[in-house]
Amino acid sequence: MAPATEAELAEIIADCHARRTPLRIAGGGTRIENPLVAETLSLSRLSGVVTYSPGEMTLIARPGTPLPEIQQMLAAEGQALAFEPPDLRAVLGSNGTPTLGGVVAANASGPRRLAAGACRDHLLGVRFVDGRGRVLKNGGRVMKNVTGLDLSKLLAGSHGTLGILTEVVLKTLPLAPARTTLAFPGIDESTALRIFTTALSTPYEVSGAAHVGGTAFLRLEGLDSQLAYRRDRLLALLAELRPQVTDDAPWEAIRDVAHFAGGGPLWRILCKPTDAPGICVKLRAMGGDCSLDWGGGLVWYRGPGNPRAFVPHATLVRRGGAEGPAFPPLAPAVARLNDGLRRSFDPAGILNPGLMDA
């Protein structure tokens, strides 16, 4: 099934609700998908930009709109999606095309999240069809119109289990005219965390802090006139670690986790940054390798074993032979809230059942 309009989608969902027919919601096939449901509902035909206002820095588009198309359009106006959505095609071995709806449904956010916030922080409004076939709208075209219960934030990261997006309203931001990176080769995660803690506690506006392959990276973005000042202050502050200045750091590869493309299970672990070095020690003891992003708040692990034995927030992004649910079990109180929301928006349980259930 591939509806071409919101009305057609609502009719399909209402019928599936009445018959209690479970649906696998599919976008471009480049995010975590549900292998447990046979009947697929594709959003590929619900595509296209509704409105783009560069002066107001507001974008309204349908969920099936290809992400590269959006990025190209914004770049032509000197703007971008500030949360830097990752492209996980290489990681997942997918030939699909990332879509805007998939980005929002997964709350997909890249290295700039630590400075600009996550996808949901730039989401101003949504239109969606819930599990009964009702068309709902929440939010507005500008931040001041977002009042009451903000369902937009609830839909972001729900992976299609609460409703199916038909339109999203996103805030855009100007592209940074210049960027530079400080690289610290040959260090471990503990030293990297010390670098991140020091740099992120300054007013020098670090927009990326990652540790990959034994090298820590700090990214600075902004106007040429003030970028040199911020860079020099950080160089002086971290001089004992002999940082190297580079304008050719692999931020796109870090964003897309390209260093872990290929086979084997891949886990996405959220943690307190101060816990990251100890978690990496345990992960390597299981026989794999890891990297850090978000200043240590995000750990990527490729290898055997199950990190949930010692970290609660571990998501299995690529199975690679691993078994078990993709998402971690919820704490009892959170699980009760989650179940209540699911019953409210999807009482028949037809939207991606089993995907986020542990």
Side-chain angles (χ1 to χ4, degrees):
M1 293 181 285
T5 66
E6 182 181 75
E8 186 180 348
L9 172 63
E11 184 179 344
I12 290 172
I13 297 301
D15 179 63
C16 290
H17 167 74
R19 294 186 293 110
R20 294 185 174 270
T21 302
L23 294 170
R24 172 178 173 266
I25 315 303
T30 62
R31 309 286 167 190
I32 297 174
E33 292 194 335
N34 191 352
L36 305 177
V37 180
E39 189 73 41
T40 297
L41 178 68
S42 172
L43 302 181
S44 59
R45 296 175 66 196
L46 282 172
S47 179
V49 174
V50 178
T51 304
Y52 172 44
S53 303
E56 297 179 1
M57 293 190 291
T58 304
L59 166 72
I60 305 176
R62 299 184 182 93
T65 310
L67 181 60
E69 179 182 315
I70 294 290
Q71 292 170 321
Q72 184 178 6
M73 181 186 68
L74 296 181
E77 297 292 339
Q79 296 184 359
L81 298 174
F83 53 91
E84 204 173 5
D87 181 347
L88 299 183
R89 280 179 286 187
V91 162
L92 297 177
S94 169
N95 293 321
T97 300
T99 62
L100 192 62
V103 167
V104 174
N107 191 35
S109 313
R112 202 177 290 113
R113 183 191 189 281
L114 59 81
C119 172
R120 63 164 53 95
D121 299 311
H122 298 262
L123 188 61
L124 300 178
V126 294
R127 287 178 66 95
F128 67 99
V129 176
D130 73 359
R132 301 178 184 180
R134 300 179 300 180
V135 177
L136 304 176
K137 178 183 178 181
N138 183 251
R141 297 192 179 199
V142 293
M143 190 65 72
K144 65 181 179 181
N145 286 340
V146 182
T147 57
L149 180 61
D150 194 349
L151 297 181
S152 302
K153 305 297 189 288
L154 193 64
L155 269 289
S158 66
H159 290 266
T161 59
L162 298 178
I164 302 172
L165 296 167
T166 58
E167 277 186 9
V168 298
V169 186
L170 283 164
K171 175 176 61 178
T172 64
L173 287 176
L175 280 168
R179 76 178 185 183
T180 191
T181 298
L182 306 187
F184 303 78
I187 61 170
D188 59 14
E189 285 85 7
S190 294
T191 305
L193 183 66
R194 180 158 62 93
I195 292 169
F196 299 158
T197 303
T198 300
L200 292 171
S201 64
T202 71
Y204 304 135
E205 300 177 14
V206 173
S207 68
H211 180 263
V212 177
T215 298
F217 299 95
L218 295 176
R219 181 176 61 186
L220 301 174
E221 297 177 299
L223 299 172
D224 282 313
S225 57
Q226 41 96 342
L227 195 62
Y229 172 82
R230 291 156 53 202
R231 178 201 63 205
D232 291 345
R233 297 289 75 76
L234 284 176
L235 284 172
L237 190 62
L238 299 165
E240 63 179 283
L241 295 168
R242 299 181 179 180
Q244 302 172 4
V245 178
T246 176
D247 295 326
D248 192 31
W251 284 105
E252 285 73 23
I254 292 171
R255 177 198 69 191
D256 299 340
V257 205
H259 49 285
F260 286 152
L266 180 66
W267 296 81
R268 181 181 183 268
I269 300 166
L270 301 180
C271 65
K272 292 191 298 184
T274 51
D275 292 342
I279 290 173
C280 287
V281 169
K282 294 179 180 179
L283 292 173
R284 288 203 171 89
M286 293 196 301
D289 198 7
C290 51
S291 65
L292 305 180
D293 202 348
W294 300 356
L298 172 60
V299 179
W300 290 99
Y301 170 67
R302 179 178 65 182
N306 190 336
R308 291 177 190 154
F310 50 88
V311 288
H313 302 294
T315 300
L316 184 57
V317 174
R318 182 181 65 213
R319 292 195 172 274
E323 298 181 353
F327 289 87
L330 300 173
V334 178
R336 287 193 294 272
L337 288 172
N338 183 70
D339 291 343
L341 286 169
R342 296 279 285 272
R343 286 194 298 272
S344 297
F345 286 96
D346 181 22
I350 64 170
L351 302 181
N352 269 340
L355 177 62
M356 299 189 75
D357 303 325

